[in-house]
Amino acid sequence: MSEVLILPGLFGSGEGHWQHHWLEDQPGSRCVAQDDWDRPNLDAWLPRLEGALEEAGEAYLVAHSLGCLLAARLAGRSVARRVMGALLVAPCDLRDTEILHPGQITFGGMPTAPLPFPSIVVGSMNDAYMTVDRLSLFGRLWNAETRNIGLAGHINIASGFGRWRSGYRLLEALKTQARGRRPTVSMPPAFAV
């Protein structure tokens, strides 16, 4: 059974957030932490994600907001081969996030490379952190399936998403998609005739 690595966004996923519930509900899941949830730094957090993937062997990523950008930064890195798939929920646009939270994020520019693993990007029509047009753009750039779930805000506690059970179905859909894309290895016959 593959692990599920939870990648929270700015300020972390505290009590009541759907990712917090997922950590309790999903066997084999764990959070990839960082030093300061209020001032996330890509150069400090990315090596932790890479280390968690090396330790897990292979894993699914379940990311929210800024955690989606962390996952997208794996494109082009050798450790990406360990990612079975990524569920990227309410990715933030660094341009908008800097306006909402000036000087709190050290993450460089938006990642634009195609992701080498199956991915589902989930967003909404009224997310203050990323417009629908930008959601579609980054879904295409990342080569991910994009799902717009309507008027759902930032898909967090403030927009009414606690346990978010329908998100589990999205993770299962991702797992099914990933199994369909896994290479098959042909085995030699057990004996010669």
Side-chain angles (χ1 to χ4, degrees):
M1 179 183 202
S2 299
E3 268 191 73
V4 175
L5 300 179
I6 305 286
L7 310 176
L10 180 63
F11 309 123
S13 295
E15 195 77 31
H17 191 285
W18 61 267
Q19 282 185 315
H20 182 81
H21 289 293
W22 283 32
L23 283 166
E24 295 172 352
D25 295 348
Q26 295 284 313
S29 66
R30 64 182 163 122
C31 180
V32 179
Q34 58 171 313
D35 294 330
D36 188 351
W37 291 110
D38 294 340
R39 297 195 178 282
N41 182 303
L42 176 66
D43 292 336
W45 201 10
L46 186 57
R48 289 203 180 159
L49 174 55
E50 291 177 322
L53 283 165
E54 291 287 345
E55 184 180 312
E58 59 183 20
Y60 289 93
L61 305 179
V62 176
H64 181 255
S65 194
L66 192 62
C68 298
L69 305 189
L70 177 68
R73 290 290 183 170
L74 291 174
R77 301 180 79 87
S78 64
V79 75
R81 72 187 185 288
R82 298 185 179 277
V83 178
M84 302 289 293
L87 180 60
L88 307 173
V89 181
C92 69
D93 188 336
L94 288 173
R95 177 186 68 182
D96 295 339
T97 306
E98 280 293 337
I99 292 168
L100 294 167
H101 306 283
Q104 286 192 264
I105 300 168
T106 307
F107 244 68
M110 286 293 291
T112 58
L115 300 179
F117 39 80
S119 304
I120 299 174
V121 175
V122 182
S124 80
M125 296 172 62
N126 62 335
D127 189 345
Y129 289 88
M130 182 175 273
T131 66
V132 172
D133 291 342
R134 298 277 283 176
L135 178 73
S136 296
L137 170 67
F138 284 100
R140 282 192 311 274
L141 290 172
W142 294 340
N143 195 30
E145 177 185 335
T146 303
R147 297 198 185 186
N148 179 337
I149 62 170
L151 299 173
H154 196 47
I155 313 175
N156 59 5
I157 296 171
S159 55
F161 288 83
R163 193 166 295 277
W164 193 38
R165 292 190 191 280
S166 61
Y168 295 137
R169 288 192 295 276
L170 290 170
L171 180 58
E172 289 309 311
L174 175 68
K175 288 179 178 182
T176 299
Q177 184 184 86
R179 281 190 293 271
R181 289 178 59 176
R182 299 289 292 180
T184 56
V185 178
S186 61
M187 298 297 292
F191 56 91
V193 182

